[in-house]
Amino acid sequence: MDQQVSYEHLDDEGGSSLTDQMRWLHVQVRQHHPQVHRIAIALYDARHGLLKTYVNSSDVTDPLALYERPLSEVPSLSELASRRESRVIHDFTQLPLPHGEHTVWLLARGYRSSYTVPLYQAGTLLGFLFFDSRKPGAFDGRLPDDLQIYVQLCRLSVLNVFNLSHAVEGMVKVARGLAHLRDIETGRHLDRMSSYVRLIAQRVARHYRLDDEFIEHLYLFSPLHDIGKVGISDSILLKPGRLNDSERRLMQGHVELGVKLINEVMQEAGLATTPYLAILRNIVGCHHELLDGSGYPRGLRGDEIPLEARIVSIADVFDALTAERPYKKPWTNAEALAELARMSDRGQLDPHCVSAFASCIGEVGAIQKRFGLSG
């Protein structure tokens, strides 16, 4: 069967989120294959070994969301990844017991069969694409072959997000080398900080109605928050003591420099209209703003500060306090959390986010252990 599917929607709809694109793709699929009732993508996070829900389109009102699991604890998907093979399950009810959590969720909502495809780019596992149906045996015969065009469209959508992150990240690495930055803590700081960011976002997701797509983009882009520092001299970045007023003004200039770099790199990479860029710009441009207006560079107040920047600022402050720097000894986690609470009480930090972060201090310790701090 000939299938006329336009790729232009994925490339030209600058205002479309990945969730919007997935819903559009699902409509196209169901025009030809009405028995496909759900399409979903789970991403693989190699740094943590986690498989995480990302985007989906389905006919249920309670989609599987805010769910993550170590890939090593899902043997069936681990095997697909290692073999780079797709899989058809003809009837979930015929699978051996006990059923996995994902299968239990699918069965409880009436899904009976599935087609699963691992997504790769240049040998790197990106995640998995799932097609599910309420009809047993829906993916027998030619249907998996007919779905290949949609597999590639979904893969392109995911790659657009990673290309945005990698384009800026690559530029930062080159710039760091040119600037001779010597802060050996930087890489581990970024791993810890972005992991804290994801913890906070997951904990406040229901309060602020965040979806997996927003959380994942926040996690991907948060390590780029300080990219403007590539233009700040080491004599200021690594000064073992307080900065004077002139030095402080130069240091604060890294925010506007970072936004300028983002805009220039995105323009050069042809990604200037991508819908995910707003989150990145907000993180870079607003992560030093404080809710009471005492932050910089614009003195924004309250809800004028995007949520993504409010979350990043908490994670960044906490890691700065608990890590050793040339000008300070590390604070304990308890001391750092107490300082975050004081800043929240003074109306500077988002109280919901601070409270959420304090509630998962055990996971914070595990992140510190994994990425270079004793906790």
Side-chain angles (χ1 to χ4, degrees), residues 292-304:
D292 64 354
S294 64
Y296 66 88
R298 296 163 59 194
L300 300 179
R301 290 178 173 272
D303 289 342
E304 293 176 339

Side-chain angles (χ1 to χ4, degrees), residues 26-102:
H26 196 186
V27 170
Q28 309 307 306
V29 170
R30 297 208 67 187
Q31 285 180 358
H32 301 285
H33 310 289
Q35 69 271 42
V36 178
H37 299 107
R38 177 178 181 262
I39 305 177
I41 294 176
L43 290 187
Y44 178 60
D45 175 5
R47 282 191 292 171
H48 294 268
L50 290 175
L51 196 62
K52 304 175 290 186
T53 50
Y54 185 35
V55 291
N56 75 89
S57 176
S58 68
D59 58 355
V60 298
T61 57
D62 59 336
L64 183 63
L66 304 176
Y67 173 79
E68 62 185 34
R69 186 89 178 271
L71 180 58
S72 60
E73 295 181 8
V74 191
S76 60
L77 293 181
S78 295
E79 186 175 356
L80 289 186
S82 63
R83 295 184 178 182
R84 300 196 186 188
E85 294 179 350
S86 301
R87 177 191 69 186
V88 170
I89 295 178
H90 304 287
D91 191 341
F92 292 130
T93 64
Q94 302 303 309
L95 293 174
L97 296 173
H99 292 147
E101 188 173 349
H102 185 207

Side-chain angles (χ1 to χ4, degrees), residues 248-266:
R248 187 174 297 106
R249 284 193 296 271
L250 288 172
M251 173 68 91
Q252 292 179 351
H254 80 272
V255 174
E256 292 177 334
L257 177 58
V259 174
K260 181 179 178 182
L261 288 173
I262 289 289
N263 290 335
E264 290 178 354
V265 171
M266 293 303 98

Side-chain angles (χ1 to χ4, degrees), residues 45-342:
D45 175 5
R47 282 191 292 171
H48 294 268
L50 290 175
L51 196 62
K52 304 175 290 186
T53 50
Y54 185 35
V55 291
N56 75 89
S57 176
S58 68
D59 58 355
V60 298
T61 57
D62 59 336
L64 183 63
L66 304 176
Y67 173 79
E68 62 185 34
R69 186 89 178 271
L71 180 58
S72 60
E73 295 181 8
V74 191
S76 60
L77 293 181
S78 295
E79 186 175 356
L80 289 186
S82 63
R83 295 184 178 182
R84 300 196 186 188
E85 294 179 350
S86 301
R87 177 191 69 186
V88 170
I89 295 178
H90 304 287
D91 191 341
F92 292 130
T93 64
Q94 302 303 309
L95 293 174
L97 296 173
H99 292 147
E101 188 173 349
H102 185 207
T103 301
V104 169
W105 184 91
L106 290 166
L107 280 169
R109 285 149 187 84
Y111 298 112
R112 293 289 297 276
S113 59
S114 73
Y115 172 50
T116 304
V117 184
L119 301 176
Y120 278 88
Q121 170 64 11
T124 299
L125 178 65
L126 301 176
F128 294 87
L129 174 61
F130 304 93
F131 298 91
D132 299 302
S133 176
R134 300 183 183 283
K135 176 184 175 183
F139 300 95
D140 297 348
R142 286 186 46 83
L143 182 52
D145 292 333
D146 292 341
L147 290 174
Q148 290 311 302
I149 187 172
Y150 303 105
V151 170
Q152 294 308 315
L153 286 170
C154 288
R155 180 174 166 275
L156 286 173
S157 295
V158 173
L159 279 177
N160 281 341
V161 180
F162 282 86
N163 287 341
L164 170 60
S165 177
H166 292 162
V168 180
E169 187 177 24
M171 181 222 46
V172 171
K173 287 179 180 177
V174 171
R176 278 200 184 114
L178 293 175
H180 306 294
L181 298 180
R182 298 185 301 274
D183 187 353
I184 62 173
E185 184 63 21
T186 298
R188 289 172 291 173
H189 162 65
L190 298 181
D191 283 331
R192 290 192 302 268
M193 193 274 299
S194 60
S195 299
Y196 300 155
V197 161
R198 187 172 63 186
L199 276 182
I200 297 169
Q202 288 172 332
R203 295 309 186 282
V204 300
R206 287 182 172 80
H207 179 84
Y208 285 116
R209 299 182 181 180
L210 308 182
D211 59 17
D212 285 305
E213 180 180 354
F214 177 90
I215 293 171
E216 188 61 27
H217 294 169
L218 181 54
Y219 171 66
L220 282 173
F221 300 147
S222 58
L224 305 174
H225 66 294
D226 268 340
I227 67 162
K229 285 185 177 179
V230 300
I232 307 299
S233 71
D234 283 4
S235 63
I236 293 177
L237 285 176
L238 305 181
K239 182 179 178 179
R242 285 186 173 275
L243 301 178
N244 61 38
D245 290 343
S246 176
E247 291 168 334
R248 187 174 297 106
R249 284 193 296 271
L250 288 172
M251 173 68 91
Q252 292 179 351
H254 80 272
V255 174
E256 292 177 334
L257 177 58
V259 174
K260 181 179 178 182
L261 288 173
I262 289 289
N263 290 335
E264 290 178 354
V265 171
M266 293 303 98
Q267 192 68 42
E268 286 292 322
L271 298 169
T273 61
T274 180
Y276 329 116
L277 186 55
I279 293 178
L280 178 54
R281 279 200 187 101
N282 288 340
I283 289 171
V284 174
C286 302
H287 70 281
H288 282 297
E289 302 286 356
L290 297 171
L291 297 183
D292 64 354
S294 64
Y296 66 88
R298 296 163 59 194
L300 300 179
R301 290 178 173 272
D303 289 342
E304 293 176 339
I305 305 171
L307 178 62
E308 51 265 41
R310 284 182 263 158
I311 292 173
V312 168
S313 67
I314 291 168
D316 194 32
V317 168
F318 179 84
D319 198 69
L321 292 175
T322 54
E324 185 172 2
R325 290 289 187 266
Y327 50 84
K328 61 173 279 294
K329 296 294 184 181
W331 294 26
T332 67
N333 286 348
E335 290 169 337
L337 286 175
E339 176 61 16
L340 292 180
R342 283 190 290 270

Side-chain angles (χ1 to χ4, degrees), residues 338-358:
E339 176 61 16
L340 292 180
R342 283 190 290 270
M343 294 180 71
S344 174
D345 291 342
R346 292 196 296 265
Q348 295 177 311
L349 297 179
D350 186 302
H352 298 291
C353 295
V354 170
S355 177
F357 189 52

